Structures are given as structure tokens and as C-alpha cells.
């Protein structure tokens, strides 16, 4: 054990000495390693952080949740048959109740409608505020944290009162201090609602969905007394029971909806069961491709860096030929010489990699300040970077180290 530690220390000391004595040569040789690690870890950290943000935004749609709508969420582009979906009948709240009776796999259901209003308080007017009308089980599917006040209760849902929950940004813009919104009345289209709570700030979402920061949430019964639900983008949210896979839930809901709408076997669906889990899989595949591109770019830099480190080790072996001969003459074995040079090569690559990691850390601080999501350098990414450095060091140093280990001590000592 002591011998191994001694070899490690000597190799580390030699690597530092190489840096100190030949600063420019070593820096230029390690520059490829530094840039390669910077590219790989920078891309992986950014993509990983962005994917975490997007996946969290997708989870905000609900875990194991199917959205029944006349629109298909998976399409888009010039080939999207919007004209066909537009002709489909709108979702009805009665259909949600029918599904609740017939479905064996559903645990929570919610009917959702929305509109856009200009909200005012005294002389302050805020345009383009989303007003969401929801049924009782919405919070069983969605996570809504209340910062001030409280959420809608069962009696308010049953009676369809004018109680409402306000988004944080809307409350901040109308009242200055969001806490002051609780207990106040806000107006829109000649109507007034009482604010009973303010939603905790959510932040910007990359995948659309529910913009709680810019919203006013009311009960469905109240919403339906003001707006026609058929013209308010209605859809049904269905969350499956625990351990029920979403494809199985979607299949069951398709059968229930076809039964409800009395569709014959030859007729196609006039509704869509949109599976949130599919969005998550699509996002994972996309970011996997981006990461692969980052590896391809960084791989070139790492190859250049590996040749640079190999060049350093060849020069080092030549400069220390007499020392190698002396060590072998006093009893140093081949594997000891081989290990010392391999470790020195690995340490040089680790130093280059650490510089690259330092640059990535600085980049993460800058990007976190300007992007709407923080950049994390996960521990597994750091371990990957160090593993790459060690592997490159061994590969780069294996030939020079083998040459050093096979030297004849007599010939080596006489070399000047």
C-alpha cells in the first residue's frame, strides 16, 4: 500500500514539475484536453439542465394523465389536419361524469375551460390574463401551491361562488405586493370576483400548458355562468390509478368515449386521448440526439489533446532516460516504471480536465444569470469527465511508458 502511494505521489509531483518547467509546451498540449472536456461537460450540463426543466414542465401537466380533447396534441406543421379536428364536437362536462361512472382505471377527473380577460383593480388594468374554470379534482392532478391565503373549498365548487385564486405575477402587477391581493375584489367584463388566495410563483414554462403566474382560477360552475363552455377550449383531464400504465388508461378511455358518442366500429374517433407520457419520451429522444452531437464535436478536441499528451510523454521519457536507467539499476521493476509514467500521463490529463471543468463552472454561473433555468453540473457528469481524463491519459501514455519500462539500464544510464 505504501509503495503504491509513493508511486502516486511521485507521478503527481513529476506532472506538476512538467507543468512548471515547460509551461508553454505543456499548456499547448493540454489545451485540446481542456477544450474537449469543456465541450463535453458544457453540452451535457446544459442539455441535462434544460431537459430537467422541460421534463418538470411536462410533469406539471399531471402524472399518468390523459387529456381528452377534440384536438390532437402530437401533431403540428403544414400536414396537421386542423380542419378535421375543428369539426369535431367539443367536450362536455356531462361526458366527464359519464367517464367517472364507467372507467375502472381512472382515479381523478377534471373538466377544464379557459378564456382571456382584461383584469382591473381600481386604476390598474392588466390585459391578457388567463381565466381558468376547473372542477373539484383539478388539484389532485395538478400541483398548485398557495403562497398567500387559501385555495377554493368544496362549498365554493358546489355553489359556484365568485371566489377566485390569483396568479403571483398578476397579483404583483395589480397590487405591488402580492400578499395585498387576498381579500380584495378584481373586475373583468363588468364582473367582480373575490380573491381568496395567491398562487406561488411558478416561473416560465418551455412547453406551454398552464400559465399559473398569469392566471385567475375560478370554479367551473361560476365560469359556466359567465361564458359558454363550448367556446372556451374545453377538455377533460383523466389521471390513472396507481401502477396503471398510461397506454392502458388511454385504451380504456377510447372505448368509453366511443360508447358515449355512439360511434360504430367503422367510424373513426371524433376525439383524441392525448398521453402526457409520450411528450416526455419524445423530449428524451430529442435531447439524446443533442448530447450525441456534443460528443461528436468534443471528440475531435479530445483526440487532438491525446496526441498532445502523448508527445509530452515521449519527450519526457527521452529527457529522463538516464534517471530511468538509474532506477532500474538499483532494482526498480518494469511494472513500477510503467505505472509511474502512466500515472503521470493520467495526472496531466486530469489537470487539463480540471481546467475545463473550471471553465464550465464559470459558464454555468453566467448562463444561470441570463437563462430562465439554472445550469447544474451533476456529480455523475463530473465523474464522467474525470474518467475520460484518466482513460485518455492511459491511452496517451501507454506507448511512451512501455518504451521506458523496456529500456536496458546500462544503455539508459550512458545516455546524455
Amino acid at each position: 500500500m505504501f509503495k503504491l502511494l509513493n508511486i502516486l505521489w511521485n507521478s503527481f509531483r513529476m506532472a506538476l514539475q512538467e507543468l512548471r518547467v515547460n509551461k508553454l509546451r505543456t499548456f499547448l498540449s493540454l489545451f485540446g484536453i481542456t477544450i474537449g472536456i469543456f465541450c463535453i461537460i458544457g453540452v451535457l450540463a446544459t442539455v441535462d439542465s434544460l431537459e430537467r426543466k422541460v421534463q418538470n414542465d411536462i410533469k406539471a401537466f399531471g402524472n399518468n394523465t390523459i387529456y381528452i380533447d377534440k384536438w390532437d396534441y402530437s401533431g403540428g406543421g403544414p400536414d396537421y389536419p386542423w380542419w378535421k379536428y375543428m369539426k369535431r364536437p367539443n367536450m362536455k362536462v356531462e361526458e366527464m361524469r359519464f367517464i367517472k361512472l364507467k372507467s375502472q382505471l381512472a382515479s381523478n377527473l377534471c373538466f377544464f375551460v379557459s378564456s382571456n380577460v382584461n383584469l382591473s383593480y381600481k386604476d390598474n388594468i392588466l390585459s391578457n390574463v388567463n381565466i381558468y374554470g376547473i372542477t373539484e379534482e383539478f388539484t389532485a392532478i395538478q400541483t398548485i401551491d398557495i403562497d398567500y391565503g387559501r385555495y377554493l373549498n368544496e362549498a365554493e365548487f358546489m355553489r359556484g361562488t365568485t371566489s377566485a385564486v390569483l396568479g403571483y405575477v398578476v397579483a404583483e402587477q395589480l397590487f405591488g405586493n402580492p400578499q395585498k391581493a387576498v381579500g380584495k375584489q378584481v373586475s373583468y367584463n363588468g364582473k367582480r370576483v373575490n380573491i381568496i388566495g395567491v398562487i406561488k410563483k411558478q416561473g416560465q414554462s418551455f412547453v406551454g400548458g398552464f400559465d399559473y403566474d398569469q392566471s385567475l382560477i375560478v370554479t367551473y360552475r361560476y365560469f359556466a355562468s359567465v361564458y359558454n363552455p363550448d367556446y372556451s377550449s374545453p377538455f377533460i383531464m383523466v389521471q390513472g390509478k396507481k401502477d396503471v400504465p398510461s397506454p392502458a388508461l388511454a385504451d380504456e378511455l377510447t372505448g368509453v368515449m366511443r360508447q358515449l358518442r355512439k360511434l360504430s366500429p367503422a367510424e373513426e374517433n371524433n376525439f383524441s386521448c392525448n398521453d402526457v407520457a409520450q411528450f416526455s419520451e419524445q423530449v428524451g429522444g430529442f435531447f439524446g440526439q443533442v448530447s450525441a452531437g456534443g460528443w461528436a464535436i468534443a471528440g475531435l478536441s479530445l483526440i487532438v489533446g491525446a496526441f498532445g499528451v502523448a508527445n509530452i510523454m515521449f519527450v519526457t521519457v527521452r529527457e529522463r532516460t538516464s534517471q530511468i536507467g538509474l532506477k532500474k539499476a538499483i532494482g526498480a521493476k518494469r511494472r513500477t516504471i510503467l505505472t509511474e509514467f502512466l500515472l503521470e500521463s493520467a495526472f496531466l490529463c486530469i489537470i487539463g480536465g480540471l481546467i475545463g471543468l473550471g471553465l464550465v463552472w464559470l459558464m454555468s454561473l453566467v448562463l444561470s444569470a441570463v437563462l430562465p433555468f439554472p445550469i447544474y453540473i451533476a456529480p455523475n457528469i463530473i465523474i464522467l469527465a474525470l474518467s475520460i481524463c484518466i482513460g485518455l491519459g492511459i491511452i496517451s501514455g501507454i506507448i511512451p511508458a512501455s518504451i521506458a519500462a523496456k529500456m536496458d539500464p546500462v544503455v539508459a544510464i550512458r545516455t546524455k
Side-chain angles (χ1 to χ4, degrees), residues 123-140:
D123 295 331
N124 295 331
I125 301 175
L126 195 60
S127 60
N128 297 322
V129 176
N130 303 306
I131 178 168
Y132 297 152
I134 58 172
T135 53
E136 292 86 337
E137 295 179 7
F138 183 72
T139 51

Side-chain angles (χ1 to χ4, degrees), residues 52-250:
R52 186 186 293 111
K53 166 65 176 172
V54 173
Q55 293 288 11
N56 286 337
D57 289 344
I58 291 174
K59 288 178 183 177
F61 283 95
N63 183 34
N64 192 22
T65 302
I66 304 296
Y67 284 64
I68 308 176
D69 198 344
K70 73 176 185 178
W71 299 99
D72 190 314
Y73 299 170
S74 62
D79 298 328
Y80 184 72
W82 58 269
W83 48 269
K84 180 177 74 172
Y85 299 136
M86 187 175 65
K87 293 178 181 179
R88 288 177 171 181
N90 290 306
M91 299 294 114
K92 305 286 186 182
V93 71
E94 293 79 14
E95 292 177 323
M96 181 200 72
R97 294 170 183 146
F98 182 86
I99 295 171
K100 195 173 184 67
L101 289 174
K102 294 293 184 179
S103 176
Q104 301 296 315
L105 303 180
S107 61
N108 299 297
L109 294 93
C110 171
F111 194 75
F112 185 95
V113 283
S114 62
S115 187
N116 199 264
V117 298
N118 294 331
L119 205 61
S120 64
Y121 174 74
K122 295 183 179 179
D123 295 331
N124 295 331
I125 301 175
L126 195 60
S127 60
N128 297 322
V129 176
N130 303 306
I131 178 168
Y132 297 152
I134 58 172
T135 53
E136 292 86 337
E137 295 179 7
F138 183 72
T139 51
I141 302 173
Q142 290 282 299
T143 300
I144 297 183
D145 298 320
I146 301 298
D147 219 356
Y148 306 108
R150 63 175 178 84
Y151 186 66
L152 299 162
N153 59 35
E154 186 177 351
E156 288 163 336
F157 276 107
M158 291 294 295
R159 291 162 49 200
T161 65
T162 58
S163 301
V165 178
L166 197 60
Y168 189 94
V169 174
V170 177
E172 190 175 42
Q173 291 177 342
L174 285 180
F175 297 92
N177 183 353
Q179 190 172 3
K180 293 180 180 179
V182 179
K184 301 294 193 309
Q185 283 190 336
V186 294
S187 305
Y188 69 96
N189 300 343
K191 307 290 184 179
R192 293 186 174 221
V193 291
N194 301 306
I195 305 302
I196 61 171
V198 176
I199 304 171
K200 187 176 181 180
K201 191 171 185 179
Q202 304 289 309
Q204 182 181 351
S205 173
F206 280 13
V207 294
F210 307 105
D211 188 0
Y212 293 126
D213 288 342
Q214 299 280 354
S215 70
L216 177 73
I217 298 180
V218 298
T219 67
Y220 170 76
R221 289 180 185 272
Y222 169 76
F223 186 100
S225 70
V226 179
Y227 297 99
N228 184 344
D230 286 341
Y231 301 103
S232 304
S233 306
F235 59 82
I236 302 169
M237 303 165 62
V238 185
Q239 186 176 52
K241 292 180 179 178
K242 188 178 180 182
D243 299 328
V244 172
S246 56
L249 177 62

